[in-house]
Amino acid sequence: MNHNNIWQHESESTLRRLEENDPSLKVLAVTLADLANHLECRVGVFVLSEDVDLTRLSSAVERCTNVSIVLIDGGIEDATPQSRATFFERVKQNPHISYVRLFACNFSVGEIGREVASSMLEDNTNLRDLLLESCTISASDVLGEGGMMSSLSGCSNLESLEIQQSNLND
């Protein structure tokens, strides 16, 4: 079985586990195949591909009560814009997801920064920990109108915001 088939099978398995509300599934990684190879612990893996539609994943995330950690890796910008925004919104709406890590995301591509801010962060009362790691972020994505900082003010339970090894551009 080639790598693409392996990751497609893993993505389907993860979707089934989410839809069945598998109690052993605590961590969801939405990632690229080359990054999935480096995951340190056994997690539910959904592998991104170009123009992937996240509709089914979004629906499953919204209903799953066991996942509390979501890892979103580089490549999310390749998903269709509508399904990407819906996915971020569903992560926000799930009261059990309290930790989100965005890794190697380029917020300067399209409207990713604004989507994260408005769809996932704005008035998110469930989020306790947010980690932005190895991301490219423009100042307007962080400080501009509708940017991350104004959206974070509505995250009333946020205890930790970490930005590690990221580039902040003008």
PDB file of all heavy atoms in Angstrom, residues 58-92:
ATOM      1  N   SER A  58     -15.681  18.495   9.753  1.00  0.00           N
ATOM      2  CA  SER A  58     -16.285  19.559  10.565  1.00  0.00           C
ATOM      3  C   SER A  58     -17.500  19.054  11.325  1.00  0.00           C
ATOM      4  O   SER A  58     -17.660  19.333  12.519  1.00  0.00           O
ATOM      5  CB  SER A  58     -16.693  20.738   9.677  1.00  0.00           C
ATOM      6  OG  SER A  58     -15.566  21.275   9.039  1.00  0.00           O
ATOM      7  N   SER A  59     -18.349  18.318  10.650  1.00  0.00           N
ATOM      8  CA  SER A  59     -19.551  17.765  11.301  1.00  0.00           C
ATOM      9  C   SER A  59     -19.175  16.800  12.416  1.00  0.00           C
ATOM     10  O   SER A  59     -19.781  16.812  13.496  1.00  0.00           O
ATOM     11  CB  SER A  59     -20.426  17.044  10.281  1.00  0.00           C
ATOM     12  OG  SER A  59     -20.900  17.947   9.337  1.00  0.00           O
ATOM     13  N   ALA A  60     -18.176  15.969  12.159  1.00  0.00           N
ATOM     14  CA  ALA A  60     -17.749  14.991  13.170  1.00  0.00           C
ATOM     15  C   ALA A  60     -17.126  15.684  14.379  1.00  0.00           C
ATOM     16  O   ALA A  60     -17.384  15.303  15.523  1.00  0.00           O
ATOM     17  CB  ALA A  60     -16.767  13.998  12.554  1.00  0.00           C
ATOM     18  N   VAL A  61     -16.326  16.716  14.140  1.00  0.00           N
ATOM     19  CA  VAL A  61     -15.689  17.460  15.235  1.00  0.00           C
ATOM     20  C   VAL A  61     -16.740  18.133  16.109  1.00  0.00           C
ATOM     21  O   VAL A  61     -16.631  18.149  17.328  1.00  0.00           O
ATOM     22  CB  VAL A  61     -14.688  18.505  14.673  1.00  0.00           C
ATOM     23  CG1 VAL A  61     -14.330  19.552  15.706  1.00  0.00           C
ATOM     24  CG2 VAL A  61     -13.443  17.809  14.171  1.00  0.00           C
ATOM     25  N   GLU A  62     -17.759  18.655  15.483  1.00  0.00           N
ATOM     26  CA  GLU A  62     -18.808  19.362  16.228  1.00  0.00           C
ATOM     27  C   GLU A  62     -19.511  18.438  17.226  1.00  0.00           C
ATOM     28  O   GLU A  62     -19.855  18.849  18.328  1.00  0.00           O
ATOM     29  CB  GLU A  62     -19.822  19.942  15.247  1.00  0.00           C
ATOM     30  CG  GLU A  62     -20.922  20.725  15.916  1.00  0.00           C
ATOM     31  CD  GLU A  62     -21.901  21.298  14.923  1.00  0.00           C
ATOM     32  OE1 GLU A  62     -22.091  20.709  13.829  1.00  0.00           O
ATOM     33  OE2 GLU A  62     -22.484  22.334  15.235  1.00  0.00           O
ATOM     34  N   ARG A  63     -19.684  17.169  16.860  1.00  0.00           N
ATOM     35  CA  ARG A  63     -20.453  16.242  17.702  1.00  0.00           C
ATOM     36  C   ARG A  63     -19.608  15.406  18.661  1.00  0.00           C
ATOM     37  O   ARG A  63     -20.132  14.821  19.595  1.00  0.00           O
ATOM     38  CB  ARG A  63     -21.269  15.311  16.806  1.00  0.00           C
ATOM     39  CG  ARG A  63     -22.399  16.025  16.079  1.00  0.00           C
ATOM     40  CD  ARG A  63     -23.288  15.054  15.340  1.00  0.00           C
ATOM     41  NE  ARG A  63     -22.581  14.176  14.421  1.00  0.00           N
ATOM     42  CZ  ARG A  63     -22.312  14.458  13.160  1.00  0.00           C
ATOM     43  NH1 ARG A  63     -22.666  15.605  12.661  1.00  0.00           N
ATOM     44  NH2 ARG A  63     -21.687  13.589  12.394  1.00  0.00           N
ATOM     45  N   CYS A  64     -18.315  15.342  18.442  1.00  0.00           N
ATOM     46  CA  CYS A  64     -17.458  14.483  19.259  1.00  0.00           C
ATOM     47  C   CYS A  64     -17.252  15.096  20.648  1.00  0.00           C
ATOM     48  O   CYS A  64     -16.916  16.266  20.776  1.00  0.00           O
ATOM     49  CB  CYS A  64     -16.104  14.293  18.575  1.00  0.00           C
ATOM     50  SG  CYS A  64     -15.042  13.157  19.454  1.00  0.00           S
ATOM     51  N   THR A  65     -17.464  14.294  21.668  1.00  0.00           N
ATOM     52  CA  THR A  65     -17.337  14.797  23.040  1.00  0.00           C
ATOM     53  C   THR A  65     -16.043  14.371  23.728  1.00  0.00           C
ATOM     54  O   THR A  65     -15.825  14.721  24.881  1.00  0.00           O
ATOM     55  CB  THR A  65     -18.523  14.332  23.899  1.00  0.00           C
ATOM     56  OG1 THR A  65     -18.531  12.898  23.939  1.00  0.00           O
ATOM     57  CG2 THR A  65     -19.838  14.841  23.363  1.00  0.00           C
ATOM     58  N   ASN A  66     -15.193  13.621  23.051  1.00  0.00           N
ATOM     59  CA  ASN A  66     -13.984  13.105  23.692  1.00  0.00           C
ATOM     60  C   ASN A  66     -12.713  13.848  23.311  1.00  0.00           C
ATOM     61  O   ASN A  66     -11.767  13.877  24.085  1.00  0.00           O
ATOM     62  CB  ASN A  66     -13.826  11.617  23.374  1.00  0.00           C
ATOM     63  CG  ASN A  66     -14.972  10.831  23.966  1.00  0.00           C
ATOM     64  OD1 ASN A  66     -15.208  10.888  25.159  1.00  0.00           O
ATOM     65  ND2 ASN A  66     -15.706  10.130  23.126  1.00  0.00           N
ATOM     66  N   VAL A  67     -12.668  14.443  22.143  1.00  0.00           N
ATOM     67  CA  VAL A  67     -11.481  15.171  21.711  1.00  0.00           C
ATOM     68  C   VAL A  67     -11.402  16.490  22.478  1.00  0.00           C
ATOM     69  O   VAL A  67     -12.359  17.255  22.507  1.00  0.00           O
ATOM     70  CB  VAL A  67     -11.504  15.435  20.191  1.00  0.00           C
ATOM     71  CG1 VAL A  67     -10.390  16.386  19.776  1.00  0.00           C
ATOM     72  CG2 VAL A  67     -11.392  14.132  19.425  1.00  0.00           C
ATOM     73  N   SER A  68     -10.254  16.726  23.102  1.00  0.00           N
ATOM     74  CA  SER A  68     -10.053  17.988  23.820  1.00  0.00           C
ATOM     75  C   SER A  68      -8.893  18.796  23.243  1.00  0.00           C
ATOM     76  O   SER A  68      -8.727  19.964  23.563  1.00  0.00           O
ATOM     77  CB  SER A  68      -9.805  17.722  25.303  1.00  0.00           C
ATOM     78  OG  SER A  68      -8.645  16.940  25.481  1.00  0.00           O
ATOM     79  N   ILE A  69      -8.090  18.160  22.389  1.00  0.00           N
ATOM     80  CA  ILE A  69      -6.916  18.808  21.800  1.00  0.00           C
ATOM     81  C   ILE A  69      -6.995  18.689  20.283  1.00  0.00           C
ATOM     82  O   ILE A  69      -7.194  17.596  19.750  1.00  0.00           O
ATOM     83  CB  ILE A  69      -5.622  18.145  22.303  1.00  0.00           C
ATOM     84  CG1 ILE A  69      -5.496  18.300  23.822  1.00  0.00           C
ATOM     85  CG2 ILE A  69      -4.400  18.721  21.583  1.00  0.00           C
ATOM     86  CD1 ILE A  69      -4.365  17.495  24.424  1.00  0.00           C
ATOM     87  N   VAL A  70      -6.819  19.823  19.597  1.00  0.00           N
ATOM     88  CA  VAL A  70      -6.793  19.822  18.139  1.00  0.00           C
ATOM     89  C   VAL A  70      -5.481  20.452  17.683  1.00  0.00           C
ATOM     90  O   VAL A  70      -5.148  21.576  18.076  1.00  0.00           O
ATOM     91  CB  VAL A  70      -7.995  20.582  17.536  1.00  0.00           C
ATOM     92  CG1 VAL A  70      -7.885  20.665  16.019  1.00  0.00           C
ATOM     93  CG2 VAL A  70      -9.301  19.912  17.932  1.00  0.00           C
ATOM     94  N   LEU A  71      -4.748  19.707  16.873  1.00  0.00           N
ATOM     95  CA  LEU A  71      -3.490  20.162  16.297  1.00  0.00           C
ATOM     96  C   LEU A  71      -3.737  20.429  14.815  1.00  0.00           C
ATOM     97  O   LEU A  71      -4.134  19.524  14.085  1.00  0.00           O
ATOM     98  CB  LEU A  71      -2.413  19.081  16.451  1.00  0.00           C
ATOM     99  CG  LEU A  71      -2.269  18.452  17.839  1.00  0.00           C
ATOM    100  CD1 LEU A  71      -1.292  17.286  17.794  1.00  0.00           C
ATOM    101  CD2 LEU A  71      -1.854  19.489  18.857  1.00  0.00           C
ATOM    102  N   ILE A  72      -3.544  21.656  14.391  1.00  0.00           N
ATOM    103  CA  ILE A  72      -3.783  22.030  12.998  1.00  0.00           C
ATOM    104  C   ILE A  72      -2.444  22.436  12.406  1.00  0.00           C
ATOM    105  O   ILE A  72      -1.844  23.419  12.843  1.00  0.00           O
ATOM    106  CB  ILE A  72      -4.797  23.179  12.888  1.00  0.00           C
ATOM    107  CG1 ILE A  72      -6.113  22.793  13.579  1.00  0.00           C
ATOM    108  CG2 ILE A  72      -5.018  23.555  11.429  1.00  0.00           C
ATOM    109  CD1 ILE A  72      -7.079  23.946  13.753  1.00  0.00           C
ATOM    110  N   ASP A  73      -1.977  21.656  11.451  1.00  0.00           N
ATOM    111  CA  ASP A  73      -0.661  21.893  10.879  1.00  0.00           C
ATOM    112  C   ASP A  73      -0.748  22.550   9.514  1.00  0.00           C
ATOM    113  O   ASP A  73      -1.808  22.612   8.901  1.00  0.00           O
ATOM    114  CB  ASP A  73       0.105  20.571  10.767  1.00  0.00           C
ATOM    115  CG  ASP A  73       0.501  20.019  12.126  1.00  0.00           C
ATOM    116  OD1 ASP A  73       0.444  20.779  13.113  1.00  0.00           O
ATOM    117  OD2 ASP A  73       0.866  18.844  12.207  1.00  0.00           O
ATOM    118  N   GLY A  74       0.420  23.021   9.059  1.00  0.00           N
ATOM    119  CA  GLY A  74       0.526  23.648   7.757  1.00  0.00           C
ATOM    120  C   GLY A  74      -0.189  22.838   6.696  1.00  0.00           C
ATOM    121  O   GLY A  74      -0.210  21.623   6.738  1.00  0.00           O
ATOM    122  N   GLY A  75      -0.784  23.502   5.774  1.00  0.00           N
ATOM    123  CA  GLY A  75      -1.548  22.841   4.733  1.00  0.00           C
ATOM    124  C   GLY A  75      -3.025  23.158   4.844  1.00  0.00           C
ATOM    125  O   GLY A  75      -3.770  22.975   3.893  1.00  0.00           O
ATOM    126  N   ILE A  76      -3.461  23.652   5.996  1.00  0.00           N
ATOM    127  CA  ILE A  76      -4.877  24.000   6.163  1.00  0.00           C
ATOM    128  C   ILE A  76      -5.266  25.069   5.142  1.00  0.00           C
ATOM    129  O   ILE A  76      -6.404  25.116   4.702  1.00  0.00           O
ATOM    130  CB  ILE A  76      -5.184  24.450   7.614  1.00  0.00           C
ATOM    131  CG1 ILE A  76      -6.681  24.512   7.876  1.00  0.00           C
ATOM    132  CG2 ILE A  76      -4.528  25.774   7.943  1.00  0.00           C
ATOM    133  CD1 ILE A  76      -7.361  23.200   8.061  1.00  0.00           C
ATOM    134  N   GLU A  77      -4.295  25.888   4.724  1.00  0.00           N
ATOM    135  CA  GLU A  77      -4.603  26.918   3.735  1.00  0.00           C
ATOM    136  C   GLU A  77      -4.952  26.332   2.373  1.00  0.00           C
ATOM    137  O   GLU A  77      -5.530  27.006   1.542  1.00  0.00           O
ATOM    138  CB  GLU A  77      -3.462  27.942   3.606  1.00  0.00           C
ATOM    139  CG  GLU A  77      -2.125  27.362   3.273  1.00  0.00           C
ATOM    140  CD  GLU A  77      -1.239  27.112   4.490  1.00  0.00           C
ATOM    141  OE1 GLU A  77      -1.700  27.133   5.630  1.00  0.00           O
ATOM    142  OE2 GLU A  77      -0.050  26.869   4.269  1.00  0.00           O
ATOM    143  N   ASP A  78      -4.635  25.042   2.143  1.00  0.00           N
ATOM    144  CA  ASP A  78      -4.986  24.400   0.881  1.00  0.00           C
ATOM    145  C   ASP A  78      -6.429  23.901   0.836  1.00  0.00           C
ATOM    146  O   ASP A  78      -6.934  23.554  -0.219  1.00  0.00           O
ATOM    147  CB  ASP A  78      -4.052  23.210   0.601  1.00  0.00           C
ATOM    148  CG  ASP A  78      -2.642  23.657   0.280  1.00  0.00           C
ATOM    149  OD1 ASP A  78      -2.467  24.812  -0.161  1.00  0.00           O
ATOM    150  OD2 ASP A  78      -1.710  22.857   0.477  1.00  0.00           O
ATOM    151  N   ALA A  79      -7.070  23.849   1.979  1.00  0.00           N
ATOM    152  CA  ALA A  79      -8.473  23.420   2.012  1.00  0.00           C
ATOM    153  C   ALA A  79      -9.338  24.499   1.365  1.00  0.00           C
ATOM    154  O   ALA A  79      -8.949  25.668   1.301  1.00  0.00           O
ATOM    155  CB  ALA A  79      -8.920  23.183   3.451  1.00  0.00           C
ATOM    156  N   THR A  80     -10.515  24.117   0.900  1.00  0.00           N
ATOM    157  CA  THR A  80     -11.408  25.101   0.296  1.00  0.00           C
ATOM    158  C   THR A  80     -11.786  26.134   1.354  1.00  0.00           C
ATOM    159  O   THR A  80     -12.025  25.779   2.519  1.00  0.00           O
ATOM    160  CB  THR A  80     -12.674  24.430  -0.282  1.00  0.00           C
ATOM    161  OG1 THR A  80     -13.362  23.764   0.768  1.00  0.00           O
ATOM    162  CG2 THR A  80     -12.310  23.426  -1.371  1.00  0.00           C
ATOM    163  N   PRO A  81     -11.834  27.421   0.999  1.00  0.00           N
ATOM    164  CA  PRO A  81     -12.079  28.471   1.991  1.00  0.00           C
ATOM    165  C   PRO A  81     -13.363  28.274   2.803  1.00  0.00           C
ATOM    166  O   PRO A  81     -13.355  28.453   4.016  1.00  0.00           O
ATOM    167  CB  PRO A  81     -12.147  29.746   1.151  1.00  0.00           C
ATOM    168  CG  PRO A  81     -11.321  29.439  -0.049  1.00  0.00           C
ATOM    169  CD  PRO A  81     -11.547  27.971  -0.322  1.00  0.00           C
ATOM    170  N   GLN A  82     -14.447  27.877   2.164  1.00  0.00           N
ATOM    171  CA  GLN A  82     -15.700  27.702   2.897  1.00  0.00           C
ATOM    172  C   GLN A  82     -15.604  26.556   3.897  1.00  0.00           C
ATOM    173  O   GLN A  82     -16.030  26.672   5.041  1.00  0.00           O
ATOM    174  CB  GLN A  82     -16.872  27.465   1.938  1.00  0.00           C
ATOM    175  CG  GLN A  82     -18.205  27.287   2.643  1.00  0.00           C
ATOM    176  CD  GLN A  82     -18.584  28.496   3.480  1.00  0.00           C
ATOM    177  OE1 GLN A  82     -18.453  29.636   3.051  1.00  0.00           O
ATOM    178  NE2 GLN A  82     -19.064  28.257   4.695  1.00  0.00           N
ATOM    179  N   SER A  83     -15.029  25.426   3.484  1.00  0.00           N
ATOM    180  CA  SER A  83     -14.940  24.294   4.401  1.00  0.00           C
ATOM    181  C   SER A  83     -13.943  24.573   5.520  1.00  0.00           C
ATOM    182  O   SER A  83     -14.108  24.120   6.644  1.00  0.00           O
ATOM    183  CB  SER A  83     -14.593  22.996   3.670  1.00  0.00           C
ATOM    184  OG  SER A  83     -13.280  22.992   3.176  1.00  0.00           O
ATOM    185  N   ARG A  84     -12.928  25.375   5.232  1.00  0.00           N
ATOM    186  CA  ARG A  84     -11.938  25.750   6.245  1.00  0.00           C
ATOM    187  C   ARG A  84     -12.601  26.619   7.324  1.00  0.00           C
ATOM    188  O   ARG A  84     -12.434  26.373   8.512  1.00  0.00           O
ATOM    189  CB  ARG A  84     -10.803  26.497   5.551  1.00  0.00           C
ATOM    190  CG  ARG A  84      -9.590  26.736   6.360  1.00  0.00           C
ATOM    191  CD  ARG A  84      -8.488  27.340   5.515  1.00  0.00           C
ATOM    192  NE  ARG A  84      -8.903  28.563   4.842  1.00  0.00           N
ATOM    193  CZ  ARG A  84      -8.555  28.899   3.605  1.00  0.00           C
ATOM    194  NH1 ARG A  84      -7.791  28.108   2.893  1.00  0.00           N
ATOM    195  NH2 ARG A  84      -8.965  30.020   3.072  1.00  0.00           N
ATOM    196  N   ALA A  85     -13.368  27.606   6.904  1.00  0.00           N
ATOM    197  CA  ALA A  85     -14.053  28.482   7.861  1.00  0.00           C
ATOM    198  C   ALA A  85     -15.050  27.683   8.699  1.00  0.00           C
ATOM    199  O   ALA A  85     -15.171  27.890   9.912  1.00  0.00           O
ATOM    200  CB  ALA A  85     -14.755  29.618   7.125  1.00  0.00           C
ATOM    201  N   THR A  86     -15.760  26.755   8.070  1.00  0.00           N
ATOM    202  CA  THR A  86     -16.709  25.907   8.798  1.00  0.00           C
ATOM    203  C   THR A  86     -15.988  25.045   9.814  1.00  0.00           C
ATOM    204  O   THR A  86     -16.440  24.891  10.952  1.00  0.00           O
ATOM    205  CB  THR A  86     -17.506  25.020   7.815  1.00  0.00           C
ATOM    206  OG1 THR A  86     -18.216  25.867   6.914  1.00  0.00           O
ATOM    207  CG2 THR A  86     -18.479  24.119   8.552  1.00  0.00           C
ATOM    208  N   PHE A  87     -14.831  24.489   9.423  1.00  0.00           N
ATOM    209  CA  PHE A  87     -14.052  23.669  10.354  1.00  0.00           C
ATOM    210  C   PHE A  87     -13.646  24.484  11.583  1.00  0.00           C
ATOM    211  O   PHE A  87     -13.822  24.045  12.717  1.00  0.00           O
ATOM    212  CB  PHE A  87     -12.822  23.096   9.658  1.00  0.00           C
ATOM    213  CG  PHE A  87     -11.889  22.371  10.591  1.00  0.00           C
ATOM    214  CD1 PHE A  87     -12.242  21.144  11.128  1.00  0.00           C
ATOM    215  CD2 PHE A  87     -10.683  22.933  10.959  1.00  0.00           C
ATOM    216  CE1 PHE A  87     -11.403  20.478  12.015  1.00  0.00           C
ATOM    217  CE2 PHE A  87      -9.827  22.283  11.827  1.00  0.00           C
ATOM    218  CZ  PHE A  87     -10.194  21.056  12.355  1.00  0.00           C
ATOM    219  N   PHE A  88     -13.099  25.689  11.367  1.00  0.00           N
ATOM    220  CA  PHE A  88     -12.702  26.537  12.494  1.00  0.00           C
ATOM    221  C   PHE A  88     -13.895  26.834  13.406  1.00  0.00           C
ATOM    222  O   PHE A  88     -13.781  26.823  14.627  1.00  0.00           O
ATOM    223  CB  PHE A  88     -12.088  27.851  12.003  1.00  0.00           C
ATOM    224  CG  PHE A  88     -10.750  27.710  11.328  1.00  0.00           C
ATOM    225  CD1 PHE A  88     -10.422  28.509  10.244  1.00  0.00           C
ATOM    226  CD2 PHE A  88      -9.800  26.798  11.765  1.00  0.00           C
ATOM    227  CE1 PHE A  88      -9.186  28.411   9.619  1.00  0.00           C
ATOM    228  CE2 PHE A  88      -8.562  26.677  11.151  1.00  0.00           C
ATOM    229  CZ  PHE A  88      -8.262  27.495  10.076  1.00  0.00           C
ATOM    230  N   GLU A  89     -15.034  27.096  12.806  1.00  0.00           N
ATOM    231  CA  GLU A  89     -16.248  27.394  13.581  1.00  0.00           C
ATOM    232  C   GLU A  89     -16.670  26.187  14.421  1.00  0.00           C
ATOM    233  O   GLU A  89     -17.057  26.317  15.584  1.00  0.00           O
ATOM    234  CB  GLU A  89     -17.378  27.806  12.631  1.00  0.00           C
ATOM    235  CG  GLU A  89     -18.653  28.192  13.317  1.00  0.00           C
ATOM    236  CD  GLU A  89     -18.576  29.506  14.072  1.00  0.00           C
ATOM    237  OE1 GLU A  89     -17.796  30.393  13.683  1.00  0.00           O
ATOM    238  OE2 GLU A  89     -19.306  29.638  15.068  1.00  0.00           O
ATOM    239  N   ARG A  90     -16.592  24.991  13.848  1.00  0.00           N
ATOM    240  CA  ARG A  90     -16.987  23.772  14.579  1.00  0.00           C
ATOM    241  C   ARG A  90     -16.040  23.483  15.738  1.00  0.00           C
ATOM    242  O   ARG A  90     -16.457  23.031  16.795  1.00  0.00           O
ATOM    243  CB  ARG A  90     -17.055  22.558  13.650  1.00  0.00           C
ATOM    244  CG  ARG A  90     -18.096  22.649  12.559  1.00  0.00           C
ATOM    245  CD  ARG A  90     -19.489  22.917  13.100  1.00  0.00           C
ATOM    246  NE  ARG A  90     -20.468  22.913  12.051  1.00  0.00           N
ATOM    247  CZ  ARG A  90     -20.940  23.995  11.435  1.00  0.00           C
ATOM    248  NH1 ARG A  90     -20.503  25.179  11.775  1.00  0.00           N
ATOM    249  NH2 ARG A  90     -21.850  23.905  10.489  1.00  0.00           N
ATOM    250  N   VAL A  91     -14.752  23.748  15.541  1.00  0.00           N
ATOM    251  CA  VAL A  91     -13.788  23.597  16.637  1.00  0.00           C
ATOM    252  C   VAL A  91     -14.193  24.526  17.781  1.00  0.00           C
ATOM    253  O   VAL A  91     -14.210  24.137  18.947  1.00  0.00           O
ATOM    254  CB  VAL A  91     -12.345  23.890  16.163  1.00  0.00           C
ATOM    255  CG1 VAL A  91     -11.388  24.037  17.345  1.00  0.00           C
ATOM    256  CG2 VAL A  91     -11.861  22.781  15.227  1.00  0.00           C
ATOM    257  N   LYS A  92     -14.553  25.747  17.439  1.00  0.00           N
ATOM    258  CA  LYS A  92     -14.964  26.718  18.458  1.00  0.00           C
ATOM    259  C   LYS A  92     -16.239  26.272  19.176  1.00  0.00           C
ATOM    260  O   LYS A  92     -16.348  26.406  20.396  1.00  0.00           O
ATOM    261  CB  LYS A  92     -15.196  28.087  17.812  1.00  0.00           C
ATOM    262  CG  LYS A  92     -15.729  29.133  18.783  1.00  0.00           C
ATOM    263  CD  LYS A  92     -15.830  30.480  18.132  1.00  0.00           C
ATOM    264  CE  LYS A  92     -17.246  30.852  17.855  1.00  0.00           C
ATOM    265  NZ  LYS A  92     -17.369  32.225  17.338  1.00  0.00           N
TER     266      LYS A  92
END
